[in-house]
Amino acid sequence: MKILVTGAAGFIGSHVALYLLARGNDVVGLDNLNNYYDVSLKEARLRRVEAFANGSLKEAIYEEAQAPGQPRGSFRFEKMALENRDGMARLFEREQFDGVINLAAQAGVRHSLNAPFDYIDSNITGFLTVLEGCRHHKVGHLVYASTSSVYGANTNMPFSVHNPADHQVALYGATKRANELMAHSYSHLFSMPTTGLRFFTVYGPWGRPDMALFLFTDAILKGKPINVFNHGHHMRDFTYVDDIVRGVVAALDTPATPDKTWDSANPAPASSSAPWRIHNIGNGNPEPLMRYIEVLEDCLGKKAEKNFLPMQAGDVPDTSASVETLELATGYKPDTPIEVGIRRFVDWYKSYYL
Ligand SMILES: NC(=O)c1ccc[n+]([C@@H]2O[C@H](COP(=O)([O-])OP(=O)(O)OC[C@H]3O[C@@H](n4cnc5c(N)ncnc54)[C@H](O)[C@@H]3O)[C@@H](O)[C@H]2O)c1
């Protein structure tokens, strides 16, 4: 199998690429290496993926994915922006992918208040080139990243794909919700299997410098105060990256099919008469933000100085995932508690930065 992973230099994309290589898939990793955050971290993730593919990285990675005697897949990096229409068309033409995992996007809720056009370029125009490539080259399955942010103003917990997600509170979520709708039109018109996964606060080694765990760790180690928004009253469905990776690959292996029970007179929001599916991919076990910080303090052996602040514009107070549909479709079972996941993050952070 040859798989295109977009956002391969990113946090989740680099882990997904490693998993696919471990089980012998050939991977083309695409990324524009933009400077939304430290480019050298993106380059280091890519070097790690390349070293794993060519056998020079000795670390044990996703061993459960490797069948005995199965050689690793090959990896090739393509530096390109999704919105490069001609370049994307040529890439799809040349490579004839069996599957596509679209993780490249302008991420982050807060940044979408300051740089809205970045979201339209990468997440809307960019996503369209991916849909077009899949359409014209009969890609077997497109899996793409959506987000828990699409639940927006909805506070009906746990968030379920059976509930509407139509009241966006920031442009980031609006672009991701738009991806789900764009994918539906392509699945409907061209019988193109697509699956959207709504990720819930992903964390772990090689994580994103703009996310809370990274910011907190950096500040605590430097003896600086941490900003705790919503006065610490957030609940978050923190999801460990290895659980996410297994769910993403299991979803790729389960191409969306038409839902025979779907009723156009009473349309269920997460399936369709077209080969189109939406799933939540979270931990299914929300934790209070203050508990997350406490575990981090334990792992670092140092207390944080906390700067309590009101909720940020565009944010939501709580997230909690019902992962029932992904479990039914693929057997997805996240099982990493924050005590284990945060410890692994801290071990990585110290080995990488200190
Ligand atoms: N990490 C989370 O908690 C989380 C939560 C919800 C959704 N998501 C979604 O999951 C996906 C992966 O997130 P991540 O945390 O790994 O983010 P990331 O920023 O680390 O990875 C995204 C990668 O895509 C690349 N990229 C961005 N725009 C591009 C473009 N136009 N063309 C080519 N490459 C481009 C970036 O350089 C980056 O390396 C994103 O779609 C994000 O919106 C992540």
Side-chain angles (χ1 to χ4, degrees):
M1 286 229 295
K2 190 194 278 188
I3 312 294
L4 172 65
V5 178
T6 75
F11 166 40
I12 301 172
S14 60
H15 287 278
V16 166
L18 288 167
Y19 192 99
L20 294 172
L21 292 168
R23 68 177 200 164
N25 295 153
D26 294 326
V27 176
V28 174
L30 178 145
D31 204 293
N32 66 356
L33 298 177
N34 69 45
N35 64 0
Y36 169 60
Y37 62 76
D38 182 13
V39 177
S40 71
L41 177 61
K42 295 183 182 182
E43 289 168 341
R45 293 187 189 122
L46 273 182
R47 281 197 298 277
R48 181 163 178 259
V49 174
E50 277 157 355
F52 184 67
N54 70 28
S56 62
L57 184 76
K58 295 301 167 216
E59 215 180 311
I61 296 174
Y62 299 130
E63 283 183 311
E64 89 268 12
Q66 301 176 35
Q70 165 72 56
R72 281 184 197 155
S74 66
F75 181 76
R76 194 173 71 70
F77 177 61
E78 184 83 33
K79 185 171 184 234
M80 197 186 336
L82 287 184
E83 56 274 35
N84 176 347
R85 210 193 286 185
D86 294 341
M88 288 292 282
R90 280 194 300 271
L91 179 73
F92 273 87
E93 169 76 41
R94 190 174 66 233
E95 301 287 351
Q96 300 297 320
F97 299 111
D98 299 296
V100 172
I101 301 179
N102 185 56
L103 299 168
Q106 180 55 58
V109 172
R110 255 80 62 187
H111 187 65
S112 72
L113 278 66
N114 304 323
F117 289 97
D118 291 358
Y119 292 75
I120 301 302
D121 293 345
S122 292
N123 304 7
I124 302 291
T125 308
F127 189 62
L128 184 57
T129 71
V130 174
L131 288 173
E132 279 287 287
C134 292
R135 164 193 175 186
H136 289 296
H137 299 285
K138 304 269 175 283
V139 168
H141 194 194
L142 165 64
V143 173
Y144 59 94
S146 184
T147 171
S148 59
S149 298
V150 299
Y151 289 103
N154 178 352
T155 55
N156 187 351
M157 300 277 160
F159 291 153
S160 161
V161 293
H162 303 308
N163 290 336
D166 291 326
H167 297 87
Q168 301 307 316
V169 297
L171 187 70
Y172 168 61
T175 61
K176 291 290 185 174
R177 179 68 178 131
N179 287 173
E180 299 175 356
L181 306 178
M182 290 161 77
H184 188 271
S185 68
Y186 272 64
S187 294
H188 171 76
L189 286 169
F190 310 115
S191 300
M192 202 178 100
T194 66
T195 297
L197 298 175
R198 294 176 178 166
F199 293 102
F200 283 67
T201 320
V202 188
Y203 74 100
W206 299 90
R208 250 170 53 203
D210 62 326
M211 290 186 68
L213 185 58
F214 198 112
L215 293 168
F216 290 166
T217 303
D218 183 59
I220 295 170
L221 288 174
K222 289 179 177 150
K224 292 185 181 163
I226 63 170
N227 288 334
V228 183
F229 292 101
N230 198 21
H231 301 282
H233 298 311
H234 282 303
M235 292 282 285
R236 282 286 179 270
D237 207 317
F238 299 106
T239 314
Y240 187 64
V241 66
D242 288 351
D243 289 325
I244 289 280
V245 167
R246 292 183 184 109
V248 169
V249 176
L252 177 73
D253 292 344
T254 314
T257 51
D259 177 357
K260 298 215 166 43
T261 66
W262 193 78
D263 177 3
S264 61
N266 185 18
S271 69
S272 171
S273 54
W276 174 89
R277 282 290 189 288
I278 299 293
H279 299 293
N280 286 336
I281 180 165
N283 193 29
N285 184 23
E287 296 275 2
L289 175 61
M290 294 310 286
R291 171 69 190 144
Y292 195 62
I293 295 172
E294 195 178 88
V295 174
L296 177 61
E297 290 173 328
D298 287 349
C299 291
L300 291 171
K302 210 170 161 192
K303 285 275 167 213
E305 189 191 323
K306 299 172 193 82
N307 188 15
F308 290 101
L309 295 167
M311 196 161 92
Q312 290 179 290
D315 213 349
V316 298
D318 301 318
T319 67
S320 168
S322 162
V323 295
E324 174 204 20
T325 64
L326 187 59
E327 187 182 341
L328 273 173
T330 70
Y332 172 71
K333 270 238 174 307
D335 61 3
T336 313
I338 57 171
E339 291 75 8
V340 173
I342 293 179
R343 161 71 57 204
R344 290 191 193 142
F345 171 81
V346 166
D347 289 348
W348 165 76
Y349 186 95
K350 287 184 168 168
S351 69
Y352 187 76
Y353 285 106
L354 304 185

